[in-house]
């Protein structure tokens, strides 16, 4: 829980003034927490009021059905024992090549660092603080295998990382579309990635990340946890799939420099997710969007070997119901361009969240 509010580690550029921001700042002293509702920032006042800040990170995980609390960055480190690598502030990283881009600041093992086992082929969910405030930008998940018998004590900057999940611009335009991070918010501010069943067993850091594009420079929010993958396969990541942090991203990457408020962005339908290509054995939680075409045709999403997303028959129009009860809680069941199933599992209702996305809730 937030205890002491720290100033941003780097200055931020005020986002688009047309946005009306109603954000809650968490502040506190001496372990008490109170929330302060900040001003409603309007076009007229944006120039004079300080920017309302709302940041955060991954606060807990669900692995093989169990909840694991993460590190509490605003509490004393003394006595904290968690699978998550320690981090110190809700503030974003805004330099793509910063050493803390690997596992946040400072991302070294805690004194009472834990590791938990996780089955290859099983889902792992990361929960951000509620409600995650930034709906524009990609979601990314990486693994890095540690040498030896534990990740404890291993410097995250020395590891080679590979990407096992990503979700960028899911539909619509860069300026006005539905993003991976918007879907994360719609999923209870959480993101579920399937640990590829092909990944070799061993000790890994798992790095969940969201990148926020609502202001410039882009804001990186990575956190890491230590897992021991069991029951894995034998598909090692290739050299082309392996990257270092820092190193994987450059400040000049198109997916980092992008300005979502330009005129061009209002019609641009492609976004290049930063980092390496997906690991060949990955089961991305969102199928890759269809390639951009000049005509506004709708292409059925490629159905991949996903474990956490709903089954997606290739040709059922959204108005027709396919096999009943196929979509689990938080699964997509409709929205602009949606060609998949529309019937929610028993107990859940397909609910319109925005023109691009309906979800079983
Ligand atoms: C939503 O996330 C919170 C953690 O942020 C968790 O405690 C809660 O159980 C989640 N709700 C559902 C329905 O999964
Ligand atoms: Cu923020």
């Amino acid at each position: 829980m937030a205890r002491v509010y720290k100033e941003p580690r780097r200055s931020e550029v005020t986002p688009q003034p047309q946005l009306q921001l109603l954000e809650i700042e968490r502040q506190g002293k001496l372990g008490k927490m109170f929330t302060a509702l900040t001003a409603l920032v309007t076009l007229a006042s944006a120039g004079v009021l300080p920017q309302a800040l709302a940041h955060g990170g991954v606060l807990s995980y669900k692995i093989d059905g169990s909840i694991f609390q993460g590190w509490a960055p605003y509490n004393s480190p003394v006595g904290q024992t968690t699978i998550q690598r320690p981090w110190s502030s809700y503030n974003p990283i805004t330099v793509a090549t910063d050493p803390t881009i690997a596992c946040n600041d400072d991302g070294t093992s805690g004194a009472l660092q834990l590791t938990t086992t996780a089955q290859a082929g099983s889902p792992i969910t990361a929960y951000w603080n509620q409600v995650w405030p930034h709906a524009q930008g990609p979601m990314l998940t990486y693994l890095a295998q540690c040498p030896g018998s534990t990740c404890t004590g291993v410097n995250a900057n020395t590891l080679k990382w590979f990407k096992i999940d990503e979700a960028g611009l899911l539909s619509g335009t860069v300026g006005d579309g539905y993003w991976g991070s918007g879907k994360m918010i719609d999923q209870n501010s959480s993101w579920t990635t399937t640990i590829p069943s092909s990944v070799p067993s061993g000790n890994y850091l798992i790095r969940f990340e969201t990148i926020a594009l609502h202001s410039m420079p882009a804001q990186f929010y990575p956190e890491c946890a230590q897992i021991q993958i069991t029951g894995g396969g034998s598909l090692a990541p290739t050299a082309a799939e392996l990257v270092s942090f820092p190193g994987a991203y450059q400040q000049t990457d198109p997916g980092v420099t992008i300005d979502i408020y330009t005129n061009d962005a209002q019609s641009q339908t492609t976004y290049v997710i930063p980092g390496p290509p997906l690991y060949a054995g990955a089961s991305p939680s969102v199928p890759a969007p269809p390639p951009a075409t000049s005509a506004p045709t709708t292409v059925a999403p490629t159905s991949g070997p996903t474990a956490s997303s709903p089954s997606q028959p290739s040709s059922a129009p959204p108005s027709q119901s396919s096999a009943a009860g196929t979509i689990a809680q938080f699964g997509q069941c409709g929205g602009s361009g949606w060609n998949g199933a529309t019937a929610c599992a028993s107990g859940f209702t397909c609910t319109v969240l925005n023109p691009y996305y309906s979800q079983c809730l």
Side-chain angles (χ1 to χ4, degrees):
M1 286 292 115
R3 198 159 63 97
V4 177
Y5 183 76
K6 293 184 183 177
E7 285 301 304
R9 79 169 52 115
R10 290 173 194 89
S11 65
E12 293 194 31
V13 175
T14 302
Q16 194 71 351
Q18 282 85 351
L19 290 178
Q20 290 201 330
L21 299 176
L22 181 63
E23 299 193 282
I24 293 171
E25 279 189 31
R26 294 177 182 278
Q27 300 180 320
K29 285 177 181 169
L30 301 174
K32 291 182 187 168
M33 195 180 84
F34 63 94
T35 60
L37 194 60
T38 59
L40 181 66
V41 181
T42 64
L43 174 62
S45 60
V48 291
L49 289 178
Q51 182 193 356
L53 294 173
H55 308 304
V58 176
L59 302 186
S60 62
Y61 300 88
K62 184 159 72 180
I63 302 173
D64 290 340
S66 298
I67 298 291
F68 294 84
Q69 290 302 322
W71 187 263
Y74 294 96
N75 290 351
S76 165
V78 177
Q80 288 203 47
T81 182
T82 163
I83 63 168
Q84 194 177 47
R85 286 286 183 98
W87 49 299
S88 62
S89 154
Y90 276 11
N91 295 322
I93 297 160
T94 55
V95 175
T97 51
D98 195 286
T100 61
I101 196 85
C103 291
N104 211 318
D105 186 10
D106 64 7
T108 57
S109 310
L112 303 173
Q113 181 70 47
L114 299 178
T115 300
T116 191
T117 56
Q119 289 285 329
S122 70
I124 170 166
T125 301
Y127 296 89
W128 277 259
N129 40 297
Q130 300 264 358
V131 171
W132 183 252
H134 308 309
Q136 289 119 346
M139 301 298 303
L140 313 94
T141 313
Y142 293 82
L143 287 175
Q145 189 165 15
C146 297
S149 58
T150 178
C151 283
T152 299
V154 174
N155 181 344
N157 296 134
T158 66
L159 297 176
K160 291 293 186 188
W161 299 84
F162 56 103
K163 191 191 277 175
I164 59 168
D165 196 7
E166 64 181 4
L169 180 63
L170 302 181
S171 59
T173 68
V174 163
D176 190 29
Y178 188 56
W179 291 83
S181 57
K183 183 172 166 64
M184 179 264 263
I185 294 167
D186 289 341
Q187 294 172 168
N188 189 29
S189 299
S190 75
W191 194 257
T192 300
T193 291
T194 299
I195 300 169
S197 51
S198 56
V199 159
S201 298
N203 280 280
Y204 288 83
L205 291 180
I206 187 164
R207 177 183 181 277
F208 281 89
E209 177 180 38
T210 183
I211 303 176
L213 303 174
H214 65 286
S215 72
M216 297 175 74
Q219 302 179 342
F220 302 88
Y221 295 92
E223 280 83 32
C224 300
Q226 294 192 186
I227 57 173
Q228 181 181 19
I229 297 177
T230 58
S234 57
L235 182 63
T238 65
E241 292 163 354
L242 290 167
V243 293
S244 300
F245 283 110
Y249 304 157
Q250 298 300 320
Q251 203 67 16
T252 52
D253 287 348
V256 174
T257 58
I258 192 163
D259 179 347
I260 67 172
Y261 302 114
T262 63
N263 283 338
D264 283 353
Q266 310 316 308
S267 57
Q268 186 180 337
T269 56
T270 56
Y271 169 76
V272 182
I273 300 173
L278 269 185
Y279 166 64
S283 308
S285 47
V286 180
T293 58
S294 50
T297 52
T298 301
V299 180
T302 310
S303 59
T306 60
S308 56
S309 57
S311 63
Q312 296 172 349
S314 57
S315 59
S319 58
Q320 287 179 7
S321 162
S322 55
T326 53
I327 305 175
Q329 186 182 24
F330 301 131
Q332 186 172 4
C333 54
S336 171
W338 177 247
N339 291 312
T342 58
C344 297
S346 168
F348 301 107
T349 305
C350 190
T351 306
V352 176
L353 296 178
N354 62 48
Y356 303 109
Y357 196 72
S358 299
Q359 186 178 55
C360 293
L361 292 173

